[in-house]
Amino acid sequence: QKEVEQDPGPLSVPEGAIVSLNCTYSNSAFQYFMWYRQYSRKGPELLMYTYSSGNKEDGRFTAQVDKSSKYISLFIRDSQPSDSATYLCAMSISGAGSYQLNFGKGTKLSVIP
Amino acid sequence: DAGITQSPRHKVTETGTPVTLRCHQTENHRYMYWYRQDPGHGLRLIHYSYGVKDTDKGEVSDGYSVSRSKTEDFLLTLESATSSQTSVYFCAISDSLGLAGAYDTDTQYFGPGTRLTVL
């Protein structure tokens, strides 16, 4: 069993919908949580970062961490066709100076105009 | 793309031939990584480097070797390519997010990828 599990989708929603993307993990030592966005035929790019538990909001995006349930979420409000991409969660144990990230397999999202 | 280039961007080769992929960074970062990405498997770490001439194996290192003779270059070699090595290969570098105290962590920045087909 991988340490990070993510539903691969695909997930298809109409434009303007609220999207919820999720990952579960098994290692309670994870403290740093990230979401990457990957457009087709491009490299992943960092989208959101959260330390420990709680929420973080950036425009239409909200990242949520529930360490008690070992569950993280990314919410996208008012979804746009330009949000169509694969979203990967990633997490690590250590802070600055660490180098190992544990990635989920990614969820492919399509936002239909 | 955080000062990372990969070459070639596309390559088609035949089974049994050697292949070398190059990753070049202009950020002077210590850590560099090679991943492969395949449907159903996500990103899988092949090898990584924590300094010049310092490398270590990742999750799927069999059939691959790496070298890092300069900070800016990290080479991935398939000594004898097989069809199972058809994939998209990503190079990454890592750096601190630059936040204060315990909030700070490293994250990885990815290159544009190399699409390799082994016939």
Side-chain angles (χ1 to χ4, degrees):
Chain A
Q1 182 191 6
K2 288 206 66 157
E3 286 191 300
V4 181
E5 298 285 349
Q6 185 175 9
D7 187 335
L11 183 62
S12 184
V13 301
E15 183 175 352
I18 296 174
V19 176
S20 173
L21 303 168
N22 311 294
C23 288
T24 59
Y25 61 94
S26 57
N27 190 341
S28 58
F30 288 138
Q31 296 189 83
Y32 302 87
F33 304 93
M34 300 165 207
W35 286 95
Y36 282 76
R37 178 175 60 195
Q38 184 178 19
Y39 291 115
S40 180
R41 295 181 176 267
K42 300 287 188 182
E45 56 178 340
L46 182 65
L47 181 64
M48 295 283 287
Y49 161 67
T50 310
Y51 169 64
S52 192
S53 285
N55 293 359
K56 183 175 182 179
E57 190 172 318
D58 184 1
R60 296 184 295 109
F61 298 89
T62 299
Q64 195 171 82
V65 175
D66 183 349
K67 291 189 73 179
S68 61
S69 302
K70 299 191 183 70
Y71 188 87
I72 69 171
S73 301
L74 178 70
F75 298 97
I76 307 174
R77 291 183 301 280
D78 187 25
S79 56
Q80 302 295 309
S82 58
D83 296 326
S84 298
T86 297
Y87 291 81
L88 299 91
C89 62
M91 46 197 80
S92 66
I93 295 172
S94 303
S98 69
Y99 53 89
Q100 288 200 313
L101 278 181
N102 296 269
F103 286 91
K105 292 182 180 180
T107 300
K108 186 172 183 179
L109 171 67
S110 295
V111 180
I112 311 301
Chain B
D1 289 327
I4 309 170
T5 57
Q6 293 184 232
S7 58
R9 294 293 313 280
H10 302 272
K11 187 171 183 65
V12 179
T13 190
E14 294 188 348
T15 298
T17 60
V19 176
T20 296
L21 309 183
R22 179 180 183 241
C23 177
H24 179 78
Q25 62 148 328
T26 58
E27 308 295 327
N28 201 35
H29 289 327
R30 178 183 176 191
Y31 289 104
M32 299 185 74
Y33 312 79
W34 277 108
Y35 290 89
R36 61 178 290 175
Q37 188 175 43
D38 305 285
H41 292 280
L43 284 167
R44 290 183 290 176
L45 183 65
I46 305 172
H47 282 279
Y48 65 95
S49 170
Y50 46 95
V52 173
K53 299 192 189 309
D54 293 322
T55 65
D56 206 348
K57 296 179 180 180
E59 180 186 355
V60 291
S61 59
D62 287 349
Y64 301 95
S65 62
V66 290
S67 66
R68 192 168 177 199
S69 59
K70 297 185 290 184
T71 299
E72 57 266 36
D73 289 326
F74 193 31
L75 304 180
L76 177 71
T77 297
L78 291 66
E79 300 290 348
S80 178
T82 68
S83 58
S84 64
Q85 294 175 311
T86 292
S87 186
V88 181
Y89 291 85
F90 287 101
C91 175
I93 63 176
S94 62
D95 188 23
S96 161
L97 286 171
L99 304 174
Y103 290 92
D104 196 20
T105 189
D106 287 6
T107 191
Q108 292 182 18
Y109 299 92
F110 288 81
T114 294
R115 191 169 293 268
L116 176 68
T117 301
V118 183
L119 301 175

